[in-house]
Amino acid sequence: AISDLDVEKLKSHLPNLVEIYLNGNSWTCDQLAGILVILKSKKIDFYRDFYESYHRENIDGIACNDQMS
């Protein structure tokens, strides 16, 4: 699992990236919110895990925690 993502660097290495799957990682809600803002500004869509994440703390269907685990 990853716990940080540099979207700017990722997009520079993968300029044709249009979709990404972020579920199953150890995001804090603050980290995830920042990542999603950048993804949206770069027009990169992300999968939402409607079944797994909505019964837990989440942002747009991606699970997150208030603190790192």
Side-chain angles (χ1 to χ4, degrees), residues 1-7 10 20-28 31-32 35 39 62-65 68-69:
I2 59 174
S3 60
D4 195 17
L5 179 65
D6 185 335
V7 177
L10 182 65
I20 191 167
Y21 184 84
L22 298 172
N23 294 72
N25 293 294
S26 300
W27 306 117
T28 66
Q31 277 180 314
L32 181 58
I35 289 168
L39 287 173
I62 301 170
C64 61
N65 298 302
M68 290 297 288
S69 41

Side-chain angles (χ1 to χ4, degrees), residues 38-63:
I38 297 169
L39 287 173
K40 290 173 184 177
S41 75
K42 300 288 183 188
K43 304 209 182 321
I44 300 171
D45 199 11
F46 48 91
Y47 288 104
R48 291 156 180 88
D49 194 340
F50 294 107
Y51 178 75
E52 288 296 319
S53 298
Y54 280 102
H55 67 280
R56 300 176 13 196
E57 190 168 3
N58 73 87
I59 299 174
D60 286 339
I62 301 170

